[in-house]
Amino acid sequence: MSEEILINVTPQETRVALVENGMLQEVLVERTENRGYVGNIYKGKVVRILPGMEAAFVELGLARTGFLHVSDILSHEQKIANGHDGGVEKRTPHIAELLRPGKDVIVQVVKEPIAAKGARLTTEISVPSRYLVYLPGSSHIGVSQRIREPETRDRLRTLVENAIQEEDMKGGVIIRTMAETAADEEIVAELKYLKRVCSRIKKRMKDPKVTGEVHTELPLTFRVMRDMLPENIEKVRIDSKETFNSAVEFAREFVPELEGKLEYYPGERPIFDLYSIEDEIIKALGSKVPLKSGGYLVIDPTEAMTTIDVNTGGFVGRKNLEETLFKTNMEAAYSIARQLRLRNIGGIIIIDFIDMGDTEHQRQVLRTLENALARDHAKTSVNDMSPLGLVEVTRKRTRESLQQTLCEPCPVCEGRGVLRTARTVCFEIFRELLREVRQFEAKEYMVIASQVVIDMLLDEESSSLADLQEFIGKPIKLQVEPSYHQEQYDVVLL
Ligand SMILES: [Zn+2]
């Protein structure tokens, strides 16, 4: 399996494509304008204490001050003590006892600033990596609840405890779910990486010349380099000289295995024209996915879940019916696994395979789906086929889907996916005219509508319009409003 990463950089956005054996498997997009602040760490200054709210406003060097509540100042240990100490009730200190205006505080953004609200802050700093979260202000070693096996939990805890001692590090660590299948060396390498990141933050905190931001969550290019397993990747091609140079520096410091695999792409052809990536992205935003032997999928993301319908193409002969259905379902199983990754669909996914009589065929389709999903970086689980032939898949949602990133609900159809026809709108206009005539006196009437509706009123529906005009006894004028969509119109009294 050869994996290649292509990175397209413009001032407006960075896009990353993961290609396996010449086929696009994943797309990640980061827009420069909404890169966000979550995860960033600041050297802040308390500007105001709000005793009533038990909170403080903190100057960060951003457009608005951040908001720090007393409950986000307590350390990890203090919180545990407050929670578990059944005997003596410990008193939560008041904000004024902890902070005063003018004091420097190290804070991290936990919630983006929205509208008039500033960023929500915490003093409990955490720096994530692929397998670990480093908590410089804690001494707690925790293991993700989702790692179930007691032996695995113990092994990982011992590994991290030993590595922390050996590296002479202070602070706590949370071992993330992904560590379950990681090699020991990978986890230790990550701990060393976190140590370097944190010593850099500390240096910047102490430097009196530094104000505001002391640590920025990595931009997309670096996050990808941090999160992908380097041994699987053949090369990383980047079409910006500047980003390439900083990627080389980043690799040298944090992912040395990747340095030799980085390539600057100065090509004549846009980098996303390679492997038809641009076309594949557009296709991944549509609902219909064709299958090789004529069938197709219909993918429908709704708010609660995504449904995927498997269909045979056109007429299916009765002779080899079961074989055809089986073949279509097998193709669908491969295709669905790829589409889930490509579109980054998360949550509950209900797949409606074509009904098959043969239970062995059902088993094979399920197994194919499971195997194809095993290549996914996101965690997935597949449930058995229900009596109605439905298969429920869950996929852990880590980011917005491709559609959520690149699209917005259609303002014309408001998500229905269909529009009332021009003729339906013409008939609505006739009814509206009659309603107006009964209610108000006017010398004449004017219909303002889209080009396509006005065209129909002047052509196919012109005799109906003439009849109506005669019935009303007043002239009806027509006017095109180019900005109106098909369903939009006004009836004006003159
Ligand atoms: Zn629409």
Side-chain angles (χ1 to χ4, degrees), residues 26 31 51 101 110 123 135 141 149 190 243 250 259 294 339 345 349 375-376 406 421 445 460-461 468:
E26 278 179 46
R31 298 259 157 100
V110 284
T123 60
L135 310 165
I141 310 281
E149 265 179 55
E190 241 187 49
T243 305
F250 180 82
E259 194 189 333
Q339 292 298 329
I345 293 170
I349 298 126
R375 296 206 47 77
D376 200 332
L406 300 180
T421 61
Y445 299 88
E460 292 160 68
E461 293 301 329
L468 187 67

mmCIF file with all atom_site columns, all heavy atoms in Angstrom, residues 26 31 51 101 110 123 135 141 149 190 243 250 259 294 339 345 349 375-376 406 421 445 460-461 468:
data_model
loop_
_atom_site.group_PDB
_atom_site.id
_atom_site.type_symbol
_atom_site.label_atom_id
_atom_site.label_alt_id
_atom_site.label_comp_id
_atom_site.label_asym_id
_atom_site.label_entity_id
_atom_site.label_seq_id
_atom_site.pdbx_PDB_ins_code
_atom_site.Cartn_x
_atom_site.Cartn_y
_atom_site.Cartn_z
_atom_site.occupancy
_atom_site.B_iso_or_equiv
_atom_site.pdbx_formal_charge
_atom_site.auth_seq_id
_atom_site.auth_comp_id
_atom_site.auth_asym_id
_atom_site.auth_atom_id
_atom_site.pdbx_PDB_model_num
ATOM 1   N N   . GLU A 1 26  ? -8.837  10.763 1.647   1.00 0.00 ? 26  GLU A N   1
ATOM 2   C CA  . GLU A 1 26  ? -9.243  11.735 2.667   1.00 0.00 ? 26  GLU A CA  1
ATOM 3   C C   . GLU A 1 26  ? -8.899  13.140 2.213   1.00 0.00 ? 26  GLU A C   1
ATOM 4   O O   . GLU A 1 26  ? -7.891  13.346 1.534   1.00 0.00 ? 26  GLU A O   1
ATOM 5   C CB  . GLU A 1 26  ? -8.508  11.469 3.996   1.00 0.00 ? 26  GLU A CB  1
ATOM 6   C CG  . GLU A 1 26  ? -9.148  10.386 4.838   1.00 0.00 ? 26  GLU A CG  1
ATOM 7   C CD  . GLU A 1 26  ? -8.391  10.132 6.140   1.00 0.00 ? 26  GLU A CD  1
ATOM 8   O OE1 . GLU A 1 26  ? -8.039  11.118 6.810   1.00 0.00 ? 26  GLU A OE1 1
ATOM 9   O OE2 . GLU A 1 26  ? -8.171  8.957  6.455   1.00 0.00 ? 26  GLU A OE2 1
ATOM 10  N N   . ARG A 1 31  ? -9.510  26.791 6.553   1.00 0.00 ? 31  ARG A N   1
ATOM 11  C CA  . ARG A 1 31  ? -9.606  28.152 6.041   1.00 0.00 ? 31  ARG A CA  1
ATOM 12  C C   . ARG A 1 31  ? -8.848  29.092 6.960   1.00 0.00 ? 31  ARG A C   1
ATOM 13  O O   . ARG A 1 31  ? -9.002  29.021 8.173   1.00 0.00 ? 31  ARG A O   1
ATOM 14  C CB  . ARG A 1 31  ? -11.080 28.572 5.971   1.00 0.00 ? 31  ARG A CB  1
ATOM 15  C CG  . ARG A 1 31  ? -11.909 27.712 5.031   1.00 0.00 ? 31  ARG A CG  1
ATOM 16  C CD  . ARG A 1 31  ? -12.123 28.413 3.703   1.00 0.00 ? 31  ARG A CD  1
ATOM 17  N NE  . ARG A 1 31  ? -12.406 27.459 2.644   1.00 0.00 ? 31  ARG A NE  1
ATOM 18  C CZ  . ARG A 1 31  ? -13.627 27.185 2.178   1.00 0.00 ? 31  ARG A CZ  1
ATOM 19  N NH1 . ARG A 1 31  ? -14.661 27.799 2.686   1.00 0.00 ? 31  ARG A NH1 1
ATOM 20  N NH2 . ARG A 1 31  ? -13.784 26.333 1.192   1.00 0.00 ? 31  ARG A NH2 1
ATOM 21  N N   . PRO A 1 51  ? -16.523 39.907 41.025  1.00 0.00 ? 51  PRO A N   1
ATOM 22  C CA  . PRO A 1 51  ? -16.746 39.056 42.201  1.00 0.00 ? 51  PRO A CA  1
ATOM 23  C C   . PRO A 1 51  ? -18.109 38.350 42.153  1.00 0.00 ? 51  PRO A C   1
ATOM 24  O O   . PRO A 1 51  ? -18.231 37.193 42.531  1.00 0.00 ? 51  PRO A O   1
ATOM 25  C CB  . PRO A 1 51  ? -16.670 40.030 43.374  1.00 0.00 ? 51  PRO A CB  1
ATOM 26  C CG  . PRO A 1 51  ? -16.063 41.278 42.834  1.00 0.00 ? 51  PRO A CG  1
ATOM 27  C CD  . PRO A 1 51  ? -16.385 41.326 41.387  1.00 0.00 ? 51  PRO A CD  1
ATOM 28  N N   . PRO A 1 101 ? -6.314  42.442 39.590  1.00 0.00 ? 101 PRO A N   1
ATOM 29  C CA  . PRO A 1 101 ? -6.026  43.113 38.326  1.00 0.00 ? 101 PRO A CA  1
ATOM 30  C C   . PRO A 1 101 ? -4.535  43.408 38.172  1.00 0.00 ? 101 PRO A C   1
ATOM 31  O O   . PRO A 1 101 ? -3.860  43.739 39.142  1.00 0.00 ? 101 PRO A O   1
ATOM 32  C CB  . PRO A 1 101 ? -6.826  44.420 38.431  1.00 0.00 ? 101 PRO A CB  1
ATOM 33  C CG  . PRO A 1 101 ? -7.928  44.107 39.386  1.00 0.00 ? 101 PRO A CG  1
ATOM 34  C CD  . PRO A 1 101 ? -7.355  43.138 40.368  1.00 0.00 ? 101 PRO A CD  1
ATOM 35  N N   . VAL A 1 110 ? -10.448 27.411 25.705  1.00 0.00 ? 110 VAL A N   1
ATOM 36  C CA  . VAL A 1 110 ? -11.210 26.162 25.604  1.00 0.00 ? 110 VAL A CA  1
ATOM 37  C C   . VAL A 1 110 ? -12.458 26.309 24.750  1.00 0.00 ? 110 VAL A C   1
ATOM 38  O O   . VAL A 1 110 ? -13.016 25.336 24.282  1.00 0.00 ? 110 VAL A O   1
ATOM 39  C CB  . VAL A 1 110 ? -11.606 25.586 26.987  1.00 0.00 ? 110 VAL A CB  1
ATOM 40  C CG1 . VAL A 1 110 ? -10.412 24.945 27.647  1.00 0.00 ? 110 VAL A CG1 1
ATOM 41  C CG2 . VAL A 1 110 ? -12.212 26.656 27.886  1.00 0.00 ? 110 VAL A CG2 1
ATOM 42  N N   . THR A 1 123 ? -6.905  27.843 33.285  1.00 0.00 ? 123 THR A N   1
ATOM 43  C CA  . THR A 1 123 ? -5.481  27.889 33.632  1.00 0.00 ? 123 THR A CA  1
ATOM 44  C C   . THR A 1 123 ? -4.906  26.471 33.645  1.00 0.00 ? 123 THR A C   1
ATOM 45  O O   . THR A 1 123 ? -3.723  26.285 33.876  1.00 0.00 ? 123 THR A O   1
ATOM 46  C CB  . THR A 1 123 ? -5.253  28.514 35.018  1.00 0.00 ? 123 THR A CB  1
ATOM 47  O OG1 . THR A 1 123 ? -5.930  27.718 35.987  1.00 0.00 ? 123 THR A OG1 1
ATOM 48  C CG2 . THR A 1 123 ? -5.755  29.936 35.070  1.00 0.00 ? 123 THR A CG2 1
ATOM 49  N N   . LEU A 1 135 ? -0.214  17.337 30.674  1.00 0.00 ? 135 LEU A N   1
ATOM 50  C CA  . LEU A 1 135 ? -0.795  18.321 31.588  1.00 0.00 ? 135 LEU A CA  1
ATOM 51  C C   . LEU A 1 135 ? 0.315   18.851 32.487  1.00 0.00 ? 135 LEU A C   1
ATOM 52  O O   . LEU A 1 135 ? 0.588   18.278 33.539  1.00 0.00 ? 135 LEU A O   1
ATOM 53  C CB  . LEU A 1 135 ? -1.879  17.668 32.459  1.00 0.00 ? 135 LEU A CB  1
ATOM 54  C CG  . LEU A 1 135 ? -2.957  16.842 31.744  1.00 0.00 ? 135 LEU A CG  1
ATOM 55  C CD1 . LEU A 1 135 ? -3.717  15.967 32.720  1.00 0.00 ? 135 LEU A CD1 1
ATOM 56  C CD2 . LEU A 1 135 ? -3.909  17.762 30.994  1.00 0.00 ? 135 LEU A CD2 1
ATOM 57  N N   . ILE A 1 141 ? -1.393  10.492 36.166  1.00 0.00 ? 141 ILE A N   1
ATOM 58  C CA  . ILE A 1 141 ? -1.276  9.705  34.930  1.00 0.00 ? 141 ILE A CA  1
ATOM 59  C C   . ILE A 1 141 ? -2.611  9.002  34.723  1.00 0.00 ? 141 ILE A C   1
ATOM 60  O O   . ILE A 1 141 ? -2.995  8.144  35.536  1.00 0.00 ? 141 ILE A O   1
ATOM 61  C CB  . ILE A 1 141 ? -0.165  8.631  35.024  1.00 0.00 ? 141 ILE A CB  1
ATOM 62  C CG1 . ILE A 1 141 ? 1.158   9.223  35.517  1.00 0.00 ? 141 ILE A CG1 1
ATOM 63  C CG2 . ILE A 1 141 ? -0.010  7.882  33.688  1.00 0.00 ? 141 ILE A CG2 1
ATOM 64  C CD1 . ILE A 1 141 ? 1.945   9.955  34.468  1.00 0.00 ? 141 ILE A CD1 1
ATOM 65  N N   . GLU A 1 149 ? -9.147  -3.204 28.385  1.00 0.00 ? 149 GLU A N   1
ATOM 66  C CA  . GLU A 1 149 ? -8.406  -4.330 28.969  1.00 0.00 ? 149 GLU A CA  1
ATOM 67  C C   . GLU A 1 149 ? -7.491  -3.880 30.101  1.00 0.00 ? 149 GLU A C   1
ATOM 68  O O   . GLU A 1 149 ? -6.633  -3.014 29.897  1.00 0.00 ? 149 GLU A O   1
ATOM 69  C CB  . GLU A 1 149 ? -7.528  -4.976 27.895  1.00 0.00 ? 149 GLU A CB  1
ATOM 70  C CG  . GLU A 1 149 ? -8.163  -6.164 27.224  1.00 0.00 ? 149 GLU A CG  1
ATOM 71  C CD  . GLU A 1 149 ? -7.243  -6.736 26.170  1.00 0.00 ? 149 GLU A CD  1
ATOM 72  O OE1 . GLU A 1 149 ? -6.085  -7.066 26.528  1.00 0.00 ? 149 GLU A OE1 1
ATOM 73  O OE2 . GLU A 1 149 ? -7.679  -6.834 25.021  1.00 0.00 ? 149 GLU A OE2 1
ATOM 74  N N   . GLU A 1 190 ? 6.671   10.407 21.436  1.00 0.00 ? 190 GLU A N   1
ATOM 75  C CA  . GLU A 1 190 ? 5.716   11.487 21.590  1.00 0.00 ? 190 GLU A CA  1
ATOM 76  C C   . GLU A 1 190 ? 5.887   12.245 22.887  1.00 0.00 ? 190 GLU A C   1
ATOM 77  O O   . GLU A 1 190 ? 5.739   13.466 22.931  1.00 0.00 ? 190 GLU A O   1
ATOM 78  C CB  . GLU A 1 190 ? 4.306   10.927 21.510  1.00 0.00 ? 190 GLU A CB  1
ATOM 79  C CG  . GLU A 1 190 ? 3.605   11.553 20.365  1.00 0.00 ? 190 GLU A CG  1
ATOM 80  C CD  . GLU A 1 190 ? 2.166   11.166 20.322  1.00 0.00 ? 190 GLU A CD  1
ATOM 81  O OE1 . GLU A 1 190 ? 1.478   11.246 21.348  1.00 0.00 ? 190 GLU A OE1 1
ATOM 82  O OE2 . GLU A 1 190 ? 1.753   10.779 19.229  1.00 0.00 ? 190 GLU A OE2 1
ATOM 83  N N   . THR A 1 243 ? 5.701   27.026 2.851   1.00 0.00 ? 243 THR A N   1
ATOM 84  C CA  . THR A 1 243 ? 5.177   25.962 3.721   1.00 0.00 ? 243 THR A CA  1
ATOM 85  C C   . THR A 1 243 ? 6.112   24.762 3.697   1.00 0.00 ? 243 THR A C   1
ATOM 86  O O   . THR A 1 243 ? 6.353   24.128 4.731   1.00 0.00 ? 243 THR A O   1
ATOM 87  C CB  . THR A 1 243 ? 3.766   25.536 3.268   1.00 0.00 ? 243 THR A CB  1
ATOM 88  O OG1 . THR A 1 243 ? 2.942   26.691 3.226   1.00 0.00 ? 243 THR A OG1 1
ATOM 89  C CG2 . THR A 1 243 ? 3.156   24.513 4.222   1.00 0.00 ? 243 THR A CG2 1
ATOM 90  N N   . PHE A 1 250 ? 9.914   21.729 10.742  1.00 0.00 ? 250 PHE A N   1
ATOM 91  C CA  . PHE A 1 250 ? 9.047   21.029 11.705  1.00 0.00 ? 250 PHE A CA  1
ATOM 92  C C   . PHE A 1 250 ? 9.421   19.552 11.792  1.00 0.00 ? 250 PHE A C   1
ATOM 93  O O   . PHE A 1 250 ? 9.532   18.976 12.870  1.00 0.00 ? 250 PHE A O   1
ATOM 94  C CB  . PHE A 1 250 ? 7.582   21.188 11.286  1.00 0.00 ? 250 PHE A CB  1
ATOM 95  C CG  . PHE A 1 250 ? 6.606   20.516 12.208  1.00 0.00 ? 250 PHE A CG  1
ATOM 96  C CD1 . PHE A 1 250 ? 6.198   21.140 13.381  1.00 0.00 ? 250 PHE A CD1 1
ATOM 97  C CD2 . PHE A 1 250 ? 6.096   19.255 11.916  1.00 0.00 ? 250 PHE A CD2 1
ATOM 98  C CE1 . PHE A 1 250 ? 5.301   20.525 14.244  1.00 0.00 ? 250 PHE A CE1 1
ATOM 99  C CE2 . PHE A 1 250 ? 5.199   18.628 12.778  1.00 0.00 ? 250 PHE A CE2 1
ATOM 100 C CZ  . PHE A 1 250 ? 4.801   19.269 13.941  1.00 0.00 ? 250 PHE A CZ  1
ATOM 101 N N   . GLU A 1 259 ? 11.352  13.795 7.277   1.00 0.00 ? 259 GLU A N   1
ATOM 102 C CA  . GLU A 1 259 ? 12.102  14.842 6.601   1.00 0.00 ? 259 GLU A CA  1
ATOM 103 C C   . GLU A 1 259 ? 12.481  14.471 5.169   1.00 0.00 ? 259 GLU A C   1
ATOM 104 O O   . GLU A 1 259 ? 12.287  15.243 4.235   1.00 0.00 ? 259 GLU A O   1
ATOM 105 C CB  . GLU A 1 259 ? 13.363  15.216 7.396   1.00 0.00 ? 259 GLU A CB  1
ATOM 106 C CG  . GLU A 1 259 ? 13.965  16.525 6.907   1.00 0.00 ? 259 GLU A CG  1
ATOM 107 C CD  . GLU A 1 259 ? 15.328  16.833 7.520   1.00 0.00 ? 259 GLU A CD  1
ATOM 108 O OE1 . GLU A 1 259 ? 15.603  16.372 8.649   1.00 0.00 ? 259 GLU A OE1 1
ATOM 109 O OE2 . GLU A 1 259 ? 16.109  17.517 6.843   1.00 0.00 ? 259 GLU A OE2 1
ATOM 110 N N   . GLY A 1 294 ? -22.851 -0.812 -12.579 1.00 0.00 ? 294 GLY A N   1
ATOM 111 C CA  . GLY A 1 294 ? -24.125 -0.196 -12.951 1.00 0.00 ? 294 GLY A CA  1
ATOM 112 C C   . GLY A 1 294 ? -25.003 0.226  -11.788 1.00 0.00 ? 294 GLY A C   1
ATOM 113 O O   . GLY A 1 294 ? -25.912 1.027  -11.968 1.00 0.00 ? 294 GLY A O   1
ATOM 114 N N   . GLN A 1 339 ? -16.195 6.194  0.903   1.00 0.00 ? 339 GLN A N   1
ATOM 115 C CA  . GLN A 1 339 ? -16.993 7.423  0.966   1.00 0.00 ? 339 GLN A CA  1
ATOM 116 C C   . GLN A 1 339 ? -17.081 7.984  2.385   1.00 0.00 ? 339 GLN A C   1
ATOM 117 O O   . GLN A 1 339 ? -17.085 9.186  2.579   1.00 0.00 ? 339 GLN A O   1
ATOM 118 C CB  . GLN A 1 339 ? -18.405 7.185  0.404   1.00 0.00 ? 339 GLN A CB  1
ATOM 119 C CG  . GLN A 1 339 ? -18.447 6.931  -1.096  1.00 0.00 ? 339 GLN A CG  1
ATOM 120 C CD  . GLN A 1 339 ? -17.935 8.101  -1.914  1.00 0.00 ? 339 GLN A CD  1
ATOM 121 O OE1 . GLN A 1 339 ? -18.067 9.265  -1.522  1.00 0.00 ? 339 GLN A OE1 1
ATOM 122 N NE2 . GLN A 1 339 ? -17.312 7.819  -3.050  1.00 0.00 ? 339 GLN A NE2 1
ATOM 123 N N   . ILE A 1 345 ? -17.761 11.426 7.227   1.00 0.00 ? 345 ILE A N   1
ATOM 124 C CA  . ILE A 1 345 ? -19.093 11.338 7.822   1.00 0.00 ? 345 ILE A CA  1
ATOM 125 C C   . ILE A 1 345 ? -18.958 10.675 9.186   1.00 0.00 ? 345 ILE A C   1
ATOM 126 O O   . ILE A 1 345 ? -18.329 9.626  9.313   1.00 0.00 ? 345 ILE A O   1
ATOM 127 C CB  . ILE A 1 345 ? -20.038 10.519 6.913   1.00 0.00 ? 345 ILE A CB  1
ATOM 128 C CG1 . ILE A 1 345 ? -20.273 11.289 5.607   1.00 0.00 ? 345 ILE A CG1 1
ATOM 129 C CG2 . ILE A 1 345 ? -21.345 10.212 7.633   1.00 0.00 ? 345 ILE A CG2 1
ATOM 130 C CD1 . ILE A 1 345 ? -20.990 10.499 4.552   1.00 0.00 ? 345 ILE A CD1 1
ATOM 131 N N   . ILE A 1 349 ? -24.547 5.712  10.961  1.00 0.00 ? 349 ILE A N   1
ATOM 132 C CA  . ILE A 1 349 ? -24.759 5.563  9.521   1.00 0.00 ? 349 ILE A CA  1
ATOM 133 C C   . ILE A 1 349 ? -25.600 4.304  9.312   1.00 0.00 ? 349 ILE A C   1
ATOM 134 O O   . ILE A 1 349 ? -25.230 3.230  9.792   1.00 0.00 ? 349 ILE A O   1
ATOM 135 C CB  . ILE A 1 349 ? -23.418 5.434  8.776   1.00 0.00 ? 349 ILE A CB  1
ATOM 136 C CG1 . ILE A 1 349 ? -22.576 6.711  8.980   1.00 0.00 ? 349 ILE A CG1 1
ATOM 137 C CG2 . ILE A 1 349 ? -23.630 5.183  7.283   1.00 0.00 ? 349 ILE A CG2 1
ATOM 138 C CD1 . ILE A 1 349 ? -21.211 6.462  9.518   1.00 0.00 ? 349 ILE A CD1 1
ATOM 139 N N   . ARG A 1 375 ? -9.161  0.201  7.399   1.00 0.00 ? 375 ARG A N   1
ATOM 140 C CA  . ARG A 1 375 ? -8.115  1.122  6.953   1.00 0.00 ? 375 ARG A CA  1
ATOM 141 C C   . ARG A 1 375 ? -8.379  2.559  7.404   1.00 0.00 ? 375 ARG A C   1
ATOM 142 O O   . ARG A 1 375 ? -7.536  3.426  7.261   1.00 0.00 ? 375 ARG A O   1
ATOM 143 C CB  . ARG A 1 375 ? -8.005  1.101  5.424   1.00 0.00 ? 375 ARG A CB  1
ATOM 144 C CG  . ARG A 1 375 ? -7.569  -0.225 4.855   1.00 0.00 ? 375 ARG A CG  1
ATOM 145 C CD  . ARG A 1 375 ? -6.895  -0.041 3.517   1.00 0.00 ? 375 ARG A CD  1
ATOM 146 N NE  . ARG A 1 375 ? -5.903  1.014  3.540   1.00 0.00 ? 375 ARG A NE  1
ATOM 147 C CZ  . ARG A 1 375 ? -4.690  0.911  4.057   1.00 0.00 ? 375 ARG A CZ  1
ATOM 148 N NH1 . ARG A 1 375 ? -4.308  -0.215 4.611   1.00 0.00 ? 375 ARG A NH1 1
ATOM 149 N NH2 . ARG A 1 375 ? -3.856  1.928  4.019   1.00 0.00 ? 375 ARG A NH2 1
ATOM 150 N N   . ASP A 1 376 ? -9.561  2.788  7.926   1.00 0.00 ? 376 ASP A N   1
ATOM 151 C CA  . ASP A 1 376 ? -9.971  4.132  8.326   1.00 0.00 ? 376 ASP A CA  1
ATOM 152 C C   . ASP A 1 376 ? -9.186  4.594  9.551   1.00 0.00 ? 376 ASP A C   1
ATOM 153 O O   . ASP A 1 376 ? -8.982  3.831  10.480  1.00 0.00 ? 376 ASP A O   1
ATOM 154 C CB  . ASP A 1 376 ? -11.466 4.086  8.668   1.00 0.00 ? 376 ASP A CB  1
ATOM 155 C CG  . ASP A 1 376 ? -12.135 5.444  8.631   1.00 0.00 ? 376 ASP A CG  1
ATOM 156 O OD1 . ASP A 1 376 ? -11.433 6.440  8.874   1.00 0.00 ? 376 ASP A OD1 1
ATOM 157 O OD2 . ASP A 1 376 ? -13.337 5.483  8.364   1.00 0.00 ? 376 ASP A OD2 1
ATOM 158 N N   . LEU A 1 406 ? -17.355 22.702 3.465   1.00 0.00 ? 406 LEU A N   1
ATOM 159 C CA  . LEU A 1 406 ? -17.351 23.391 2.177   1.00 0.00 ? 406 LEU A CA  1
ATOM 160 C C   . LEU A 1 406 ? -18.715 23.908 1.723   1.00 0.00 ? 406 LEU A C   1
ATOM 161 O O   . LEU A 1 406 ? -18.779 24.671 0.785   1.00 0.00 ? 406 LEU A O   1
ATOM 162 C CB  . LEU A 1 406 ? -16.800 22.447 1.089   1.00 0.00 ? 406 LEU A CB  1
ATOM 163 C CG  . LEU A 1 406 ? -15.376 21.932 1.285   1.00 0.00 ? 406 LEU A CG  1
ATOM 164 C CD1 . LEU A 1 406 ? -14.989 21.031 0.127   1.00 0.00 ? 406 LEU A CD1 1
ATOM 165 C CD2 . LEU A 1 406 ? -14.388 23.086 1.406   1.00 0.00 ? 406 LEU A CD2 1
ATOM 166 N N   . THR A 1 421 ? -42.079 23.841 -9.162  1.00 0.00 ? 421 THR A N   1
ATOM 167 C CA  . THR A 1 421 ? -41.841 24.126 -10.578 1.00 0.00 ? 421 THR A CA  1
ATOM 168 C C   . THR A 1 421 ? -42.342 25.525 -10.920 1.00 0.00 ? 421 THR A C   1
ATOM 169 O O   . THR A 1 421 ? -43.169 26.100 -10.206 1.00 0.00 ? 421 THR A O   1
ATOM 170 C CB  . THR A 1 421 ? -42.588 23.124 -11.485 1.00 0.00 ? 421 THR A CB  1
ATOM 171 O OG1 . THR A 1 421 ? -43.985 23.249 -11.216 1.00 0.00 ? 421 THR A OG1 1
ATOM 172 C CG2 . THR A 1 421 ? -42.136 21.695 -11.219 1.00 0.00 ? 421 THR A CG2 1
ATOM 173 N N   . TYR A 1 445 ? -52.222 45.916 -11.492 1.00 0.00 ? 445 TYR A N   1
ATOM 174 C CA  . TYR A 1 445 ? -51.413 45.020 -10.664 1.00 0.00 ? 445 TYR A CA  1
ATOM 175 C C   . TYR A 1 445 ? -50.098 44.735 -11.362 1.00 0.00 ? 445 TYR A C   1
ATOM 176 O O   . TYR A 1 445 ? -50.023 44.730 -12.584 1.00 0.00 ? 445 TYR A O   1
ATOM 177 C CB  . TYR A 1 445 ? -52.163 43.695 -10.408 1.00 0.00 ? 445 TYR A CB  1
ATOM 178 C CG  . TYR A 1 445 ? -53.449 43.930 -9.667  1.00 0.00 ? 445 TYR A CG  1
ATOM 179 C CD1 . TYR A 1 445 ? -54.619 44.212 -10.363 1.00 0.00 ? 445 TYR A CD1 1
ATOM 180 C CD2 . TYR A 1 445 ? -53.478 43.880 -8.277  1.00 0.00 ? 445 TYR A CD2 1
ATOM 181 C CE1 . TYR A 1 445 ? -55.805 44.452 -9.695  1.00 0.00 ? 445 TYR A CE1 1
ATOM 182 C CE2 . TYR A 1 445 ? -54.660 44.121 -7.595  1.00 0.00 ? 445 TYR A CE2 1
ATOM 183 C CZ  . TYR A 1 445 ? -55.818 44.403 -8.312  1.00 0.00 ? 445 TYR A CZ  1
ATOM 184 O OH  . TYR A 1 445 ? -56.983 44.643 -7.633  1.00 0.00 ? 445 TYR A OH  1
ATOM 185 N N   . GLU A 1 460 ? -46.491 29.731 -22.177 1.00 0.00 ? 460 GLU A N   1
ATOM 186 C CA  . GLU A 1 460 ? -47.417 28.619 -21.976 1.00 0.00 ? 460 GLU A CA  1
ATOM 187 C C   . GLU A 1 460 ? -48.657 28.995 -21.160 1.00 0.00 ? 460 GLU A C   1
ATOM 188 O O   . GLU A 1 460 ? -49.723 28.425 -21.336 1.00 0.00 ? 460 GLU A O   1
ATOM 189 C CB  . GLU A 1 460 ? -46.690 27.455 -21.276 1.00 0.00 ? 460 GLU A CB  1
ATOM 190 C CG  . GLU A 1 460 ? -45.641 26.809 -22.166 1.00 0.00 ? 460 GLU A CG  1
ATOM 191 C CD  . GLU A 1 460 ? -44.636 26.029 -21.348 1.00 0.00 ? 460 GLU A CD  1
ATOM 192 O OE1 . GLU A 1 460 ? -45.040 25.006 -20.775 1.00 0.00 ? 460 GLU A OE1 1
ATOM 193 O OE2 . GLU A 1 460 ? -43.466 26.447 -21.258 1.00 0.00 ? 460 GLU A OE2 1
ATOM 194 N N   . GLU A 1 461 ? -48.493 29.926 -20.220 1.00 0.00 ? 461 GLU A N   1
ATOM 195 C CA  . GLU A 1 461 ? -49.623 30.296 -19.366 1.00 0.00 ? 461 GLU A CA  1
ATOM 196 C C   . GLU A 1 461 ? -50.251 31.634 -19.767 1.00 0.00 ? 461 GLU A C   1
ATOM 197 O O   . GLU A 1 461 ? -51.001 32.236 -19.001 1.00 0.00 ? 461 GLU A O   1
ATOM 198 C CB  . GLU A 1 461 ? -49.181 30.341 -17.894 1.00 0.00 ? 461 GLU A CB  1
ATOM 199 C CG  . GLU A 1 461 ? -48.803 28.989 -17.317 1.00 0.00 ? 461 GLU A CG  1
ATOM 200 C CD  . GLU A 1 461 ? -49.947 27.968 -17.383 1.00 0.00 ? 461 GLU A CD  1
ATOM 201 O OE1 . GLU A 1 461 ? -51.130 28.387 -17.300 1.00 0.00 ? 461 GLU A OE1 1
ATOM 202 O OE2 . GLU A 1 461 ? -49.654 26.768 -17.535 1.00 0.00 ? 461 GLU A OE2 1
ATOM 203 N N   . LEU A 1 468 ? -57.572 35.728 -16.751 1.00 0.00 ? 468 LEU A N   1
ATOM 204 C CA  . LEU A 1 468 ? -57.605 36.300 -15.408 1.00 0.00 ? 468 LEU A CA  1
ATOM 205 C C   . LEU A 1 468 ? -57.728 37.818 -15.481 1.00 0.00 ? 468 LEU A C   1
ATOM 206 O O   . LEU A 1 468 ? -58.501 38.440 -14.740 1.00 0.00 ? 468 LEU A O   1
ATOM 207 C CB  . LEU A 1 468 ? -56.327 35.896 -14.649 1.00 0.00 ? 468 LEU A CB  1
ATOM 208 C CG  . LEU A 1 468 ? -56.283 36.285 -13.171 1.00 0.00 ? 468 LEU A CG  1
ATOM 209 C CD1 . LEU A 1 468 ? -57.330 35.513 -12.383 1.00 0.00 ? 468 LEU A CD1 1
ATOM 210 C CD2 . LEU A 1 468 ? -54.899 36.020 -12.592 1.00 0.00 ? 468 LEU A CD2 1
#
